[in-house]
Amino acid sequence: MQIKNSIEKKNIKYMVGFDLGDRDAQISFCSSKQPEAETVPAVAGTQQYNIPTVLCKRAGTGQWLYGREALQAAQAGEGAFVENLFSGALEERVTVIEGVEYDALTLLTLFVKKCFGLFTAIAPLDKIEILMFTARQANERTIEVIRQVVEAVGLRDTKIFFQNHEESYYYYLLHQLPEFRQEASVILDFNEILRVYLLEWNRRTVPIVSFVTKWNCPDCVQPIWAEEENEKKRQMEKLDGQALENIIGIFQNKKIGSVFLIGNGFQENWANRSLQYICRGRRVFKGNNLYSKGAAFGALEKLWPTKEGKEHTFLGEEKLKTNIGLQILREEKEVYLPLLDAGTDWHDAACEKEFYLESGDGFCVTLTPLTNVHPEKEAAGKYPVRYEKIELSGLPERPAGATKLHIAMYLSDAEILHIKTEDLGFGEIFPASGLIWEQDISLE
């Protein structure tokens, strides 16, 4: 029995979600033995999950502290305090401590490495099969920085993925009870300013499409609370009124079944009127580990797609929202050849294919958008199809089917498809001309 348990434990694979922000970080995980996500506590035996994204170098030593220990040491005046590690790395800042320059990327790497020390209480790092980073934005610069951090940490055999908070929200709800997906859901994310994420499900499509609409509420700013009681009460009433006005404007005429309150801004009990409105006929939850759990669930779907994962797809800001392919002849019948699928991260959407040109000096790319479609047409599965002609000016004249083309496609941003076409000729009979054509197509 002991040998069997030892083998089972040795073969467990872990899927880890790492939520990285400028103020806090957090780690959640699933495993092949336990598909339900758990969050690693920042302090053992507690439900304190947030790890402050800060470092402190003890004066006159080479010792670096991180998280809560760094905050305590800095408050005690025991060393040099460094914050804003993530934004610092994005902006390539340099910090001088005791006459030595430290670039922010190196400091962020040190912080992330120390955070993974918490996970080693669960399992060795080489047991992490997939690591999913999540952040407020998962743009090119964010991904570049995180890739550099991961490479420096040394997780060479781990598959690394990235998703933004909206997609982590989607994966979190995907792994909750089905009733959470019957109606729309809202996150009220209050860190610095109030941000609202509305997640909706379009059940007229196959698979079911989910998408998020975002609002920033710049008038709802996390205040520095006054010490004087009456002034603090006035601050709370003002913030409550501003938040309620924003919430009513967003919630009205929408069927919202669940609301999640996230962020340090909800630590004080200021939202009395807002909560009374939110709780009418809705399930309301408060917590701070939704994004990291959603990232862990996203990692799980990469390795073992669930039935729910196959039946749903997410079309967020970072996603390709159009199916892209070619109409080709196969056994004398025209068929559709899919090349890029909607729902793919746009920065991962790329393909290369070779095919024979039957006639003419060009070919058409077939574009099928899955958003902004009239509901009646969508219900009938009739999506508007667009054909974009790729002109191959100067292509040598050859018999039908005697021109072989190599095409490479990738997205330069979420809405621009770049196509590079190369003439390969037809063996020795019709040598390649060496001609290359490049063209951008707008997907909007």
Side-chain angles (χ1 to χ4, degrees):
M1 178 65 80
Q2 286 181 342
I3 293 174
K4 182 181 177 182
N5 289 340
S6 177
I7 292 172
E8 286 180 352
K9 190 171 182 180
K10 186 177 180 180
N11 292 331
I12 292 176
K13 295 178 180 180
Y14 289 85
M15 286 64 69
V16 173
F18 196 119
D19 181 18
L20 183 58
D22 222 25
R23 295 182 62 170
D24 300 290
Q26 199 177 95
I27 300 174
S28 290
F29 66 94
C30 305
S31 74
S32 52
K33 190 175 180 181
Q34 178 190 311
E36 183 57 42
E38 283 189 26
T39 306
V40 179
V43 179
T46 73
Q47 291 187 341
Q48 295 180 22
Y49 300 129
N50 285 350
I51 310 163
T53 313
V54 295
L55 291 170
C56 181
K57 183 180 182 297
R58 283 196 187 276
T61 74
Q63 184 184 14
W64 289 87
L65 303 174
Y66 79 111
R68 286 179 169 79
E69 284 188 348
L71 288 173
Q72 292 166 1
Q75 289 168 358
E78 296 174 1
F81 182 65
V82 188
E83 57 185 342
N84 301 322
L85 299 176
F86 192 25
S87 61
L90 295 175
E91 297 167 12
E92 299 181 327
R93 295 181 206 148
V94 173
T95 300
V96 179
I97 300 175
E98 297 177 337
V100 179
E101 288 188 352
Y102 297 90
D103 65 86
L105 183 63
T106 299
L107 296 178
L108 180 63
T109 301
L110 176 61
F111 171 79
V112 170
K113 199 168 188 176
K114 286 181 174 291
C115 288
F116 275 118
L118 293 172
F119 184 78
T120 56
I122 309 297
L125 296 187
D126 61 7
K127 295 296 181 183
I128 301 176
E129 184 78 8
I130 293 181
L131 173 58
M132 178 72 77
F133 274 93
T134 186
R136 182 166 292 152
Q137 290 183 319
N139 54 31
E140 282 186 284
R141 177 58 182 156
T142 302
I143 291 169
E144 178 189 357
V145 164
I146 293 175
R147 282 195 191 281
Q148 291 174 329
V149 168
V150 171
E151 187 176 335
V153 168
L155 297 170
R156 294 180 184 84
D157 297 326
T158 300
K159 300 178 186 71
I160 311 297
F161 294 92
F162 312 90
Q163 63 190 32
N164 60 19
H165 280 171
E166 296 105 90
E167 190 168 4
S168 293
Y169 180 20
Y170 159 77
Y171 278 116
Y172 179 83
L173 284 189
L174 194 66
H175 283 258
Q176 304 308 306
L177 296 172
E179 52 258 37
F180 281 91
R181 300 186 293 277
Q182 296 304 312
E183 296 179 317
S185 178
V186 164
I187 283 181
L188 300 178
D189 186 333
F190 196 16
N191 281 304
E192 298 173 1
I193 69 166
L194 181 64
R195 295 176 175 87
V196 183
Y197 300 153
L198 169 68
L199 190 150
E200 299 175 271
W201 310 88
N202 186 347
R203 300 186 173 279
R204 297 185 298 268
T205 62
V206 178
I208 296 168
V209 170
S210 178
F211 53 93
V212 168
T213 308
K214 297 187 299 183
W215 291 267
N216 287 340
C217 306
D219 54 334
C220 295
V221 179
Q222 193 172 347
I224 299 172
W225 298 111
E227 292 185 11
E228 201 276 317
E229 200 60 38
N230 288 333
E231 177 59 21
K232 185 177 180 180
K233 183 180 178 182
R234 188 196 65 78
Q235 285 178 301
M236 288 184 166
E237 290 174 351
K238 181 181 178 182
L239 180 58
D240 194 11
Q242 290 170 327
L244 180 60
E245 186 176 343
N246 281 280
I247 290 166
I248 290 174
I250 294 168
F251 280 41
Q252 63 185 351
N253 302 322
K254 294 182 178 68
K255 291 183 178 179
I256 296 170
S258 59
V259 181
F260 297 87
L261 308 180
I262 291 175
N264 296 325
F266 287 111
Q267 288 181 349
E268 294 279 350
N269 296 319
W270 55 267
N272 295 326
R273 293 168 58 209
S274 298
L275 283 174
Q276 286 177 9
Y277 175 82
I278 292 167
C279 290
R280 291 175 194 161
R282 305 179 187 94
R283 300 176 71 177
V284 180
F285 304 87
K286 187 177 179 182
N288 278 323
N289 58 346
L290 184 152
Y291 296 135
S292 66
K293 278 191 170 185
F297 285 133
L300 181 69
E301 290 288 341
K302 294 286 185 185
L303 195 61
W304 292 299
T306 60
K307 177 176 177 288
E308 290 77 13
K310 294 173 183 176
E311 293 174 350
H312 297 76
T313 190
F314 178 71
L315 295 183
E317 281 184 354
E318 305 296 323
K319 298 294 182 179
L320 174 61
K321 300 175 181 65
T322 301
N323 286 327
I324 300 169
L326 299 174
Q327 298 295 136
I328 64 169
L329 285 177
R330 184 174 287 164
E331 297 178 355
E332 299 183 357
K333 291 183 179 180
E334 189 176 271
V335 296
Y336 174 74
L337 174 66
L339 296 178
L340 298 175
D341 293 330
T344 306
D345 289 346
W346 72 261
H347 36 75
D348 292 333
C351 73
E352 295 189 42
K353 287 287 181 183
E354 293 182 357
F355 65 97
Y356 290 95
L357 186 66
E358 289 300 316
S359 61
D361 58 353
F363 60 93
C364 285
V365 177
T366 304
L367 308 173
T368 310
L370 297 189
T371 56
N372 300 320
V373 181
H374 193 280
E376 290 181 3
K377 290 185 177 180
E378 199 174 58
K382 297 179 179 177
Y383 296 94
V385 178
R386 221 172 94 209
Y387 299 98
E388 287 285 343
K389 179 74 178 288
I390 305 300
E391 301 280 355
L392 306 178
S393 58
L395 181 69
E397 290 188 18
R398 298 177 183 131
T403 294
K404 189 177 185 181
L405 298 174
H406 176 273
I407 63 169
M409 293 184 176
Y410 68 88
L411 272 73
S412 54
D413 66 34
E415 302 294 345
I416 301 294
L417 173 67
H418 185 79
I419 301 177
K420 180 180 179 180
T421 309
E422 182 180 358
D423 172 30
L424 300 180
F426 192 77
E428 295 180 0
I429 304 172
F430 298 104
S433 66
L435 291 172
I436 293 175
W437 301 266
E438 298 197 48
Q439 185 171 330
D440 285 334
I441 295 176
S442 173
L443 302 179
E444 289 186 304

